[in-house]
Amino acid sequence: MTDSAVFVPHFHWDREWYEPFQVFRHRLVTALDTVLETAEADPDFRFTVDGQMAAVEDYLEMRPENRDRVAALVREGRLAVGPWLILLDEFLCSGETIVRNLQMGWAAAERLGGAMPIGYLPDMFGHIAQMPQILARAGIEHAALWRGVPGTVDGHAFRWRAPDGSEVRTEFLFDGYDNGLDVLLVPDRIRRALGEYAEMTAGRWGGDPLLAMAGTDHNAPDPRLADWLRQASAAERPITVATLDEYIRKHARDEVTAVVTGELRSHVRGNILPGVLSVRLGLKQRMAAAERTVDHAERMNALWSGRDESNFLALAWHKIIESTAHDSVVGSGTDETCDQVAARLAEAAQTARAVRDAALAEPAAGVPGDAYLVANPLPSPRTALVEVDVVAAPEGSTLVATTADGAAHPVQLVSQAPTVLSDERLDASQLERVLRRIHRRELFGLLINGYELTPNSLVFHLAEVPEGPFDLMTLRGEVAAAAAAHPGEWRVRTLAQARATALAAVPVPAAGLAAFRVAAGDRPAAPALRGATATADTLSNGLVQVAVAADGTLDVTGADGTVLSGVGRLVDGGDRGDSYNYAPPAHDVPVSEPTRVDVELVEDGPLRARLRVTRVYEWPEALADGDRDRRSGRTVPTPVEMLVEVRTGEPFVRVSTAFLNRSADHRLRLHVPLPVPVTGSASAGQFAVTERGLTAEGGWGEYPLPTFPASTFVAAGPATVLLDHSAEYELVDDGSALALTLLRAIGSISVNIHPLRDEPAASEIPAPGAQDLGMRIENRFAVLPWAAGWQGANAVALAEEFRGDCLVTRGTAPGGGPLPPDAAGVQVDGRDVHVSSIRRVTDPEHGPGTEVRLAAMRDTATAVRVTGAFTEATTVDLLGRPIDPEPVRDGLDLVLGPWEIRTVVLR
């Protein structure tokens, strides 16, 4: 039995949860006031601030006068802060967001005296496979955590290994981050209670001291704690008060032999609460949209702008990272908390959008106003399909897109806008009221291209890009004179230039720019490669084919002949669970057959072909009154629209589903049946592709449902599904189908009695907003059939193409001028290589540069070539510190090891 104990005073601070942020912050300020006073009064006192700098930032915003007091304790090693900005949910954000979280937290801690070099992850709902590599590449050698550790670990520490082989020694908080509190319940009996706990857990400690985490949620330790422990300390079992950093780096000395590789999602010793993956769908979608927008903003700013927008970008990242907290994006808070998270994510996206658009406005100033600029955010060349508003072609002619090299490219007419915007009759004395609508040259959102003024008639001609000058004062004088000369009724018409929405195919260089103009062509465009076509119930583009079955599901045939039948089957069942865990009613009757199916041809090519499949279902409106184990007999008819689309050159079929949710307490899943049953799946996200089986490890108080997270794609056998946002999936029917959760609607944060979880996850607080009643529920994904699985299908690259649409903006130079030549940015060539970031960086010693972060998404080494306008390259760690210069010869050649994350700065 261990003969000594180390107590770590701390708290765990959920920034927002069952109360919104500002309510919790009020408690935080009081708690940290107590911590500072206790530490300053007692030199033996130590405190660990939960591993997240957000708590310190939030405190100092209210108590700026205490900054020096905090910094003094940090420098003395008595207050451990960082290394994270926020304690995040690792599965519901991107790997890049996790890196930025660590970077921002580390930098904030350094400004106060230094970060705790421990990857403290106390309360996350499981842990990603690549976390050890992220920590190791930031120079952090240790981690500490609770949830998700498998049953093979029987000591208090293990070596946690990432897929690339990186390792961190990991302290296993096997009784949670509050295991020391039971010992402290009766202060004058601490010695006896500690002895009993030490005896009970003796097999875990080896020769290391017992670790007693003395803290819990939202409370500072009692100021008398150090006194109590001094009184309880004895020669035979001395007690030390320390920070978590001091315990791990000074007191825990035993050699650790147990090794765990990959993600930690076991239920065997603690709840991992997997239902958070699917509750409050809107937050997951907002997170993905904000991450994508700030990523594109950084790329555009780094490559095409002369302005350093780092302050705005840092603000956007900060708001995203705040929202990744494990009680924020997961959606397990009250409605007002989740509304605040949604607003914060929207603000992050808006901030980033402003930077992105300003960056594109700089090169757009060199593009004529009757043309467009396309920006490719991906570091590989591609042909972009972009929708633009153009002048309609005269009857009998076709539209063609022309690029700077004079090449003509195909255009698909999507729709045509009406030309008559207004037709009014009014008295001459009222003409002045019409002129008030004009703001300099703008009228109805367009610009006045000219006007016709004849007796009792005024016609305005509007255009997107006007020709010649316009003088509003002259018009006013002319109208006043005409009205006086011709009293009585006047006819006033506003006519827009004939406009159309066109889809153009435009080649764009890697991370580059291309300008194009769409106009009626005097010569045919080059035909679209394997153009998209549609009939009343089929789609094809030469690579993938789709046929709509009688029940509204899809038969999808891939480029290699792989057939997936029944794709898109919808299965709706009851959910009597809560925001943390799904639970089916005991007498659930799933609904999977529609009462009506309609198919509509929307577009027939040649660049894009679309069908709309509408299926109507009778879904129960809620759980039965007074019986949560049955669904109500009252049903509501619910039409579900499924837009099915193929584009020229894409080997996958795009699918979007949408419906107005009128039912409560239910889970809707979309099935992708597999040709033969499989024994496992693979999902991509956070710098790895993780393989999983048909079951999950259980054994504690939570039923191990095999529902798993996926971020960019999920694959099972020959079926790969590309994702727009983080999603929940499961292999069902003994591995015969892949099921994606489209909606999980529940009405409570936690329920006291849960059939699949013994312990309540929180108080039973109503959360009616989590039912999403009256909300339009939309999901977007793509189905990629390929017999050789996700690697054979090149899913890493295709997932980025699916999520990373090109950006398009109108030129602002005078119309009619020549198009500027294409411009290339940074190009990255390499199979199964994910580029998670391209951004502007600078440091006082080396000056400005472009940072590129690469991740090898495969289990074998891969060669990578990076080209662009640079002559020097340096590999840096994840905190931006230089490691090695790299030789540059007409580009940068690297070899990435299996699953390696590599960051280089180009100058």
Side-chain angles (χ1 to χ4, degrees):
M1 184 168 63
T2 183
D3 60 0
S4 62
V6 176
F7 278 73
V8 174
H10 76 102
F11 57 43
H12 173 56
W13 207 273
D14 300 294
R15 196 166 184 262
E16 54 199 356
W17 182 17
Y18 56 83
E19 294 282 11
F21 162 59
Q22 296 295 356
V23 174
F24 268 145
R25 172 152 71 175
H26 191 269
R27 300 179 190 177
L28 170 70
V29 170
T30 301
L32 278 178
D33 281 345
T34 300
V35 168
L36 294 188
E37 292 164 5
T38 303
E40 290 169 343
D42 188 341
D44 290 338
F45 185 76
R46 304 286 191 274
F47 192 78
T48 299
V49 191
D50 206 26
Q52 55 178 335
M53 282 300 299
V56 180
E57 288 187 348
D58 294 341
Y59 174 77
L60 291 178
E61 190 174 1
M62 295 294 105
R63 293 280 195 269
E65 69 276 12
N66 288 345
R67 186 174 187 86
D68 290 343
R69 296 172 65 194
V70 171
L73 291 170
V74 172
R75 289 194 299 269
E76 292 168 14
R78 296 201 291 132
L79 190 67
V81 298
W84 301 101
L85 178 60
I86 203 96
L87 292 181
L88 71 162
D89 187 286
E90 299 167 31
F91 293 97
L92 292 176
C93 62
S94 70
E96 187 62 32
T97 298
I98 296 173
V99 171
R100 302 303 180 89
N101 187 339
L102 184 56
Q103 290 176 344
M104 295 183 83
W106 190 274
E110 286 292 296
R111 290 192 290 271
L112 285 174
M116 175 176 69
I118 307 294
Y120 187 41
L121 306 161
D123 200 28
M124 286 74 162
F125 308 151
H127 304 280
I128 61 167
Q130 287 281 37
M131 183 58 76
Q133 184 180 180
I134 291 172
L135 295 174
R137 288 184 181 268
I140 297 174
E141 300 176 348
H142 300 272
L145 49 83
W146 165 34
R147 302 184 196 263
V149 177
T152 55
V153 175
D154 54 13
H156 74 102
F158 60 94
R159 300 210 65 80
W160 186 14
R161 183 177 295 162
D164 77 312
S166 301
E167 289 185 356
V168 290
R169 180 199 178 279
T170 303
E171 188 69 26
F172 175 29
L173 308 175
F174 55 89
D175 281 334
Y177 52 80
D178 59 355
N179 69 312
L181 290 189
D182 287 348
V183 174
L184 302 173
L185 283 175
V186 183
D188 59 1
R189 298 180 184 177
I190 290 175
R191 186 182 303 177
R192 188 186 72 182
L194 180 60
E196 292 172 352
Y197 182 71
E199 183 176 358
M200 183 174 61
T201 61
R204 292 200 168 268
W205 302 108
D208 287 339
L210 181 153
L211 171 62
M213 298 293 290
T216 188
D217 296 0
H218 319 133
N219 285 287
D222 193 295
R224 297 167 293 177
L225 174 63
D227 280 339
W228 294 343
L229 295 177
R230 276 191 290 267
Q231 294 170 19
S233 184
E236 68 274 13
R237 181 169 292 117
I239 295 174
T240 303
V241 177
T243 64
L244 182 63
D245 178 28
E246 288 174 323
Y247 173 80
I248 290 175
R249 298 207 295 165
K250 295 181 180 179
H251 298 288
R253 297 297 189 184
D254 272 6
E255 183 179 348
V256 178
T257 57
V259 177
V260 177
T261 299
E263 71 175 1
L264 306 179
R265 288 195 65 82
S266 171
H267 307 252
V268 72
R269 292 203 183 97
N271 296 336
I272 65 167
L273 311 171
V276 299
L277 299 172
S278 51
V279 75
R280 296 197 194 258
L281 167 71
L283 291 183
K284 281 64 172 176
Q285 293 174 324
R286 283 182 181 271
M287 174 60 69
E291 289 178 322
R292 189 156 49 241
T293 306
V294 73
D295 175 38
H296 289 179
E298 284 191 328
R299 297 182 187 214
M300 297 303 107
N301 180 255
L303 297 172
W304 305 115
S305 174
R307 300 168 59 184
D308 183 352
E309 302 273 23
S310 56
N311 288 341
F312 284 101
L313 293 167
L315 174 64
W317 273 117
H318 201 287
K319 290 186 177 295
I320 288 171
I321 293 164
E322 289 177 67
S323 304
T324 65
H326 65 288
D327 286 304
S328 296
V329 69
V330 299
S332 60
T334 60
D335 289 351
E336 61 180 342
T337 294
C338 292
D339 289 346
Q340 189 172 21
V341 177
R344 190 185 300 128
L345 287 168
E347 192 174 352
Q350 292 156 9
T351 304
R353 188 179 75 205
V355 173
R356 181 199 68 192
D357 293 351
L360 287 178
E362 294 181 44
V367 176
D370 60 342
Y372 286 88
L373 179 73
V374 182
N376 178 13
L378 302 184
S380 54
R382 64 200 292 203
T383 295
L385 293 189
V386 292
E387 278 193 14
V388 291
D389 179 77
V390 298
V391 177
E395 187 174 351
S397 62
T398 58
L399 294 172
V400 172
T402 306
T403 46
D405 59 2
H409 304 278
V411 168
Q412 176 178 326
L413 183 64
V414 175
S415 64
Q416 195 146 339
T419 57
V420 180
L421 303 186
S422 70
D423 190 343
E424 307 167 88
R425 295 183 183 275
L426 64 164
D427 189 80
S429 63
Q430 301 297 309
L431 288 180
E432 176 60 27
R433 296 178 58 190
V434 173
L435 300 185
R436 292 177 197 164
R437 301 169 182 168
I438 303 170
H439 301 277
R440 289 170 293 279
R441 192 168 188 166
E442 181 270 331
L443 177 60
F444 297 160
L446 297 170
L447 299 177
I448 296 175
N449 197 36
Y451 58 89
E452 300 171 32
L453 182 60
T454 57
N456 299 97
S457 174
L458 174 59
V459 181
F460 292 107
H461 295 279
L462 308 185
E464 290 260 348
V465 182
E467 299 174 359
F470 168 76
D471 188 334
L472 179 58
M473 298 307 295
T474 299
L475 172 64
R476 288 183 183 279
E478 291 177 354
V479 169
H486 303 283
E489 184 179 79
W490 277 64
R491 184 182 185 188
V492 179
R493 290 182 296 160
T494 307
L495 307 180
Q497 189 178 37
R499 309 293 297 182
T501 300
L503 186 68
V506 182
V508 194
L513 306 174
F516 71 99
R517 178 183 281 118
V518 174
D522 55 3
R523 58 191 177 90
L529 180 65
R530 297 180 176 179
T533 60
T535 68
D537 58 3
T538 67
L539 299 171
S540 178
N541 66 358
L543 295 175
V544 63
Q545 300 176 32
V546 183
V548 182
D551 63 355
T553 63
L554 311 175
D555 295 334
V556 183
T557 304
D560 66 347
T562 298
V563 178
L564 302 175
S565 299
V567 172
R569 178 173 180 256
L570 297 178
V571 179
D572 186 75
D575 191 340
R576 58 151 300 174
D578 53 32
S579 67
Y580 292 99
N581 295 78
Y582 160 79
H587 306 291
D588 195 17
V589 180
V591 178
S592 60
E593 299 304 320
T595 59
R596 192 178 82 241
V597 178
D598 297 310
V599 183
E600 174 192 0
L601 175 61
V602 179
E603 295 177 12
D604 60 1
L607 300 179
R608 182 175 70 193
R610 288 173 161 178
L611 297 173
R612 181 179 291 109
V613 181
T614 303
R615 291 171 285 178
V616 180
Y617 295 87
E618 290 289 336
W619 290 341
E621 67 176 8
L623 295 177
D625 295 336
D627 185 358
R628 293 184 59 80
D629 273 321
R630 298 181 188 276
R631 300 182 79 182
S632 171
R634 299 184 297 274
T635 63
V636 290
T638 305
V640 180
E641 295 180 356
M642 184 167 65
L643 186 65
V644 189
E645 173 184 322
V646 297
R647 298 182 180 184
T648 180
E650 291 185 345
F652 49 81
V653 53
R654 295 171 179 257
V655 179
S656 300
T657 61
F659 63 95
L660 184 68
N661 184 42
R662 300 170 60 199
S663 297
D665 310 312
H666 69 127
R667 180 181 70 174
L668 177 66
R669 302 209 284 189
L670 181 141
H671 286 211
V672 180
L674 305 173
V676 295
V678 298
T679 58
S681 62
S683 79
Q686 299 85 32
F687 304 123
V689 179
T690 302
E691 295 185 356
R692 306 183 179 102
L694 298 179
T695 59
E697 183 183 36
W700 198 70
E702 178 179 58
Y703 185 81
L705 279 176
T707 51
F708 298 116
S711 292
T712 55
F713 68 79
V714 57
T720 297
V721 179
L722 312 179
L723 300 172
D724 177 69
H725 59 269
S726 295
E728 173 191 271
Y729 77 91
E730 181 181 359
L731 288 176
V732 298
D733 302 331
D734 297 322
S736 295
L738 175 64
L740 297 175
T741 304
L742 302 185
L743 174 69
R744 201 167 71 82
I746 51 85
S748 179
I749 289 180
S750 178
V751 293
N752 293 335
I753 305 300
H754 194 294
L756 302 184
R757 187 189 67 232
D758 292 345
E759 181 184 3
S763 300
E764 193 168 291
I765 301 173
Q771 296 283 15
D772 279 331
L773 286 169
M775 300 295 290
R776 183 171 172 84
I777 307 301
E778 299 182 354
N779 284 272
R780 187 175 78 97
F781 53 92
V783 179
L784 173 61
W786 200 267
W790 66 269
Q791 284 185 300
N794 197 23
V796 172
L798 292 178
E800 289 303 299
E801 289 190 24
F802 173 68
R803 290 166 68 106
D805 288 336
C806 284
L807 310 171
V808 60
T809 188
R810 182 185 289 278
T812 56
L819 299 176
D822 292 357
V826 174
Q827 181 162 335
V828 178
D829 296 301
R831 180 80 176 190
D832 295 334
V833 175
H834 168 55
V835 179
S836 74
S837 174
I838 300 174
R839 64 165 175 160
R840 180 197 303 262
V841 293
T842 189
D843 66 68
E845 182 179 352
H846 301 96
T850 301
E851 181 188 84
V852 180
R853 189 152 18 256
L854 314 162
M857 303 286 279
R858 60 192 297 175
D859 56 9
T860 58
T862 184
V864 180
R865 181 163 176 77
V866 183
T867 52
F870 61 91
T871 57
E872 299 178 6
T874 304
T875 293
V876 300
D877 71 5
L878 284 184
L879 297 179
R881 298 171 298 205
I883 299 175
D884 293 310
E886 301 287 351
V888 176
R889 300 182 185 88
D890 298 323
L892 173 62
D893 291 295
L894 302 170
V895 176
L896 300 186
W899 307 109
E900 180 186 354
I901 304 167
R902 181 85 66 89
T903 308
V904 294
V905 175
L906 312 175
R907 291 184 170 89

